[in-house]
Amino acid sequence: MTLLIIGATGTLGRQVARRAIDEGYKVRCLVRSAKKATFLKEWGAELVPGDLCYPHTLNAALEGVTAVIDASTSRPTDSLSIRQVDWDGKVSLIQASVAAGVERFIFFSILDAEKYPEVPLMEIKRCTELFLAESGLNYTILRLAGFMQGLIGQYGIPILEGQPVWVTGESSPIAYMDTQDVAKFAIRALKVPETQKQTFPVVGTRAWSAEEIIRVCERLSGKEARITRMPINLLRTMRRVIRFFQWGWNVADRLAFTEVLASGRPLNAPMDEVYKVFGLEPNETTTVESYLQEYFNRIMKKLKELDYEKIQPKKQKPKRSPFKKVNSQ
């Protein structure tokens, strides 16, 4: 089976590629920059140049492909809008996959997308799910909540550096999952017939509020967090103002996602039946506590090593001997 992975250089996509390669699949990755994807080639993946936003580049990438795993999404640093990448690009990919006779299509969506029609990314995900279901492809949709990898930049690093930790409105508890665990579900779906033409939540062991995560980070780091609360009404005003300028459309669309994060409604779903269908064990899923524990253990160990290296030269510097020069001659 040959897999085409879209978004393989991203946080989730690289874990999907790694898992697929480790399980013996022939992996092909659609990449915009071969230079940024060198690590994928080193792992054993085939790199094919292409871009979702340029449909003519997709046909060659899909030639001989059995299954597509789409882990791509627009990034804050992209010049293209969410609509261009997450709607226009996905429609082109789905249509090209149909034309190429792809047998399986795995798509990552967002949990509860249908509940937030006013949030552009959520509405686009909902529409893409519908488009995919009507395409005729043999699909599996995995609805995610949040990645544990994002907790490090949002909470871990600011707390360690004494920087403000931003919390917006009434924080929504989120069932974060390690991207390595998400990848297990994605690759497993290819082998389980019961996942065909089905949609599943794929979320962590429980939902965590921002305050709970901050407390865990404080305990593990031994540092107190500087919490700064951003009023949701201020963000809404900023979004409305930015929408007046074309350069701000993409930023405004991303600010809209704070409505999800600050609604107070948990992003979580029961997973018991999902584990049974996929044949995976719940106790093998990484928890937020263990993920953060591993991160802080590594970073605190590194900090101690750096401090040790700084003071070692001073401690070990030998006293100048008046006989050394004589003895060495």
Side-chain angles (χ1 to χ4, degrees):
M1 181 180 286
T2 299
L3 307 184
L4 176 64
I5 299 176
I6 318 293
T9 58
T11 303
L12 173 58
R14 67 182 59 205
Q15 297 299 340
V16 173
R18 178 78 267 179
R19 184 81 187 186
I21 292 168
D22 288 347
E23 292 197 16
Y25 288 96
K26 183 179 178 182
V27 174
R28 183 182 299 170
C29 301
L30 185 77
V31 298
R32 289 182 292 177
S33 169
K35 186 177 180 181
K36 293 181 179 178
T38 303
F39 68 95
L40 294 169
K41 188 174 183 180
E42 291 173 351
W43 289 352
E46 175 192 358
L47 304 185
V48 179
D51 192 319
L52 287 182
C53 296
Y54 296 93
H56 66 275
T57 67
L58 300 177
N59 295 333
L62 285 163
E63 188 175 346
V65 166
T66 314
V68 171
I69 301 180
D70 178 21
S72 63
T73 189
S74 58
R75 301 177 182 180
T77 54
D78 286 345
S79 58
L80 299 173
S81 68
I82 291 174
R83 180 180 178 83
Q84 287 173 300
V85 177
D86 288 275
W87 173 248
D88 296 339
K90 300 306 173 83
V91 167
S92 297
L93 176 62
I94 293 168
Q95 291 174 332
S97 297
V98 172
V102 169
E103 296 177 17
R104 297 284 276 112
F105 195 104
I106 311 296
F107 175 65
F108 295 106
S109 188
I110 303 177
L111 196 68
D112 293 343
E114 70 283 357
K115 296 179 181 179
Y116 298 90
E118 73 285 357
V119 178
L121 182 59
M122 299 292 261
E123 178 64 5
I124 285 172
K125 288 290 187 182
R126 184 190 71 84
C127 291
T128 306
E129 286 187 21
L130 294 174
F131 187 82
L132 179 57
E134 295 171 359
S135 69
L137 284 170
N138 197 354
Y139 67 88
T140 300
I141 297 172
L142 304 179
R143 290 178 168 178
L144 314 179
F147 300 151
M148 290 183 190
Q149 281 70 14
L151 300 178
I152 304 304
Q154 188 175 359
Y155 301 102
I157 293 174
I159 290 173
L160 283 171
E161 295 183 347
Q163 300 298 319
V165 177
W166 295 88
V167 178
T168 307
E170 183 184 353
S171 68
S172 302
I174 299 173
Y176 297 97
M177 185 175 251
D178 190 333
T179 52
Q180 292 185 23
D181 291 323
V182 177
K184 282 195 290 187
F185 279 92
I187 301 303
R188 183 66 180 165
L190 300 171
K191 301 177 181 178
V192 181
E194 290 80 6
T195 66
Q196 297 177 13
K197 295 190 176 181
Q198 297 293 325
T199 299
F200 301 92
V202 175
V203 298
T205 54
R206 81 169 180 89
W208 291 75
S209 68
E211 292 77 11
E212 287 176 313
I213 293 171
I214 288 171
R215 286 196 292 271
V216 172
C217 291
E218 287 179 323
R219 175 171 55 81
L220 294 173
S221 67
K223 295 179 178 290
E224 186 176 348
R226 292 173 52 198
I227 300 174
T228 301
R229 294 193 176 273
M230 175 69 76
I232 187 65
N233 287 332
L234 176 59
L235 288 174
R236 288 169 179 161
T237 301
M238 288 173 58
R239 184 189 173 210
R240 286 195 293 268
V241 171
I242 292 173
R243 286 291 299 176
F244 282 111
F245 307 95
Q246 185 173 350
W247 55 262
W249 290 350
N250 204 17
V251 177
D253 286 345
R254 291 189 174 280
L255 281 175
F257 199 77
T258 56
E259 297 288 343
V260 180
L261 303 178
S263 67
R265 288 186 284 182
L267 272 178
N268 197 7
M271 286 286 291
D272 291 344
E273 288 301 316
V274 179
Y275 279 105
K276 289 179 183 177
V277 171
F278 281 77
L280 297 173
E281 293 296 328
N283 59 9
E284 294 179 359
T285 297
T286 305
T287 65
V288 165
E289 300 103 311
S290 62
Y291 182 83
L292 291 174
Q293 178 79 63
E294 182 183 357
Y295 168 75
F296 280 106
N297 283 348
R298 281 189 287 109
I299 201 69
M300 300 307 284
K301 180 180 178 182
K302 187 65 178 176
L303 289 173
K304 288 179 181 178
E305 288 174 355
L306 291 173
D307 288 339
Y308 181 76
E309 289 173 1
K310 287 179 183 178
I311 63 175
Q312 273 304 98
K314 296 178 182 179
K315 284 187 174 183
Q316 292 184 346
K317 189 174 180 180
K319 293 182 179 180
R320 192 181 185 94
S321 171
F323 304 103
K324 188 174 181 181
K325 190 173 182 180
V326 175
N327 294 336
S328 64
Q329 287 178 337

